[in-house]
Amino acid sequence: MKTRLTFLGTGTSQGVPMIGCDCNVCRSADERDKRYRSSVFVQYGGLDILVDAGPDFRSQMLRAGIRHLDAILLTHNHKDHTGGLDDVRAFNYIERAPIRIYCEKYVEDSLRKEYSYAFAEKRYPGVPEWQITYIDEHPFRVEENVPEVKLTWVDGKGYEKTPCPRPEHPASVEVIPVRGRHFNLPVLGYRFGNIAYLTDMNFIPEEEFSKLEGLDHFIINCVRRGKHLSHFSLEEAIAVAGRVGARHSWLTHLSHQLPRYEDLCRELPEGILPAYDGLVIESGE
């Protein structure tokens, strides 16, 4: 099955350039050194899937020209990966449907605090409309976003919701989640066909490596050189990529503490490159 992945953001939680910083990386004129917060858009088996919706969500959607989403998969609950979820309101309005979100239960618990107005019994007109499905480290299917209710906007009232029939067998694809840890926080990466995307990890349990066999592309987070509390270091990311043995490996979630793009490329082993915003990779027929 063909998979096409677009890097919408490849930066760490503060992005690159970082506000107020005057380092060589933050002052770089190379567009590949300008990084939104980490997120990818995956076109897989005819479905359009977003992984994470951080604070740059709106800008990322506009820059990439994305007009439709079947699902949003969340890796964990941190703000740089969930801070843009209010902006799915645009998709609600245009597609007249809730957005399907797949996440762990603790992530939804966090969203209920962060976006309490979206879960309130009496909600303000126009709040984001989400349909949440719980997942864990076991494979699951993502379905096309054929809504069970149709949203019709009524000025002064908000959305009127009309039940609508769903197809008996909506299009769907299998996604394989990969468990990792982000310091003490359990997080998920995802495998789509022969592309795997792992961000915000500094530990992968031994039993999860079997899910990463036979990859064309392996994407792993790397925030800086030297040990980090909750992310793989450059040295650790290279070691993990070497063990996985994908045809191509890509580094993401990069901070300004790493060299500029061109300089980093020169020091990486063959088969490993830094990703950059807008990069597109493909796998399969």
Side-chain angles (χ1 to χ4, degrees), residues 3 5 12 17 19 35-36 38 48 60 82 104 123 205 209 219 227 241 265:
T3 309
L5 183 148
T12 190
I19 294 172
R35 304 181 182 278
Y36 282 146
S38 290
D48 295 334
Q60 291 167 337
T82 63
E104 298 195 78
R123 298 190 294 169
F209 279 94
I219 303 154
K227 195 72 176 175
C265 285

Side-chain angles (χ1 to χ4, degrees), residues 38-184:
S38 290
S39 174
V40 293
F41 176 60
V42 184
Q43 294 163 287
Y44 179 47
L47 272 60
D48 295 334
I49 301 170
L50 180 74
V51 180
D52 288 337
D56 302 313
F57 173 81
R58 178 180 178 275
S59 297
Q60 291 167 337
M61 297 298 101
L62 291 171
R63 182 174 66 177
I66 296 171
R67 297 173 177 268
H68 169 74
L69 289 176
D70 287 296
I72 299 175
L73 278 54
L74 299 177
T75 58
H76 62 300
N77 64 338
H78 284 171
K79 190 77 169 182
D80 56 320
H81 296 262
T82 63
L85 283 173
D86 182 82
D87 281 322
V88 305
R89 291 181 294 122
F91 287 103
N92 296 151
Y93 182 78
I94 290 170
E95 302 202 33
R96 299 178 61 193
I99 287 290
R100 302 172 70 87
I101 295 177
Y102 295 75
C103 65
E104 298 195 78
K105 185 180 184 304
Y106 85 86
V107 177
E108 191 213 26
D109 292 342
S110 179
L111 296 180
R112 284 182 175 273
K113 296 177 182 178
E114 190 73 26
Y115 296 98
S116 58
Y117 58 89
F119 296 91
E121 184 176 345
K122 295 181 179 180
R123 298 190 294 169
Y124 186 86
V127 300
E129 298 284 344
W130 306 326
Q131 180 180 329
I132 296 179
T133 299
Y134 294 149
I135 57 173
D136 55 23
E137 62 270 19
H138 297 94
F140 61 95
R141 297 198 73 82
V142 173
E143 294 185 352
E144 64 177 317
N145 195 22
V146 181
E148 297 174 3
V149 295
K150 204 72 172 178
L151 304 178
T152 302
W153 180 256
V154 180
D155 283 343
K157 292 180 61 178
Y159 286 115
E160 287 186 350
K161 299 181 179 181
T162 306
C164 57
R166 281 173 54 82
E168 186 175 351
H169 301 291
S172 66
V173 292
E174 183 181 66
V175 175
I176 300 174
V178 180
R179 171 66 71 200
R181 296 198 72 84
H182 183 38
F183 185 43
N184 289 326

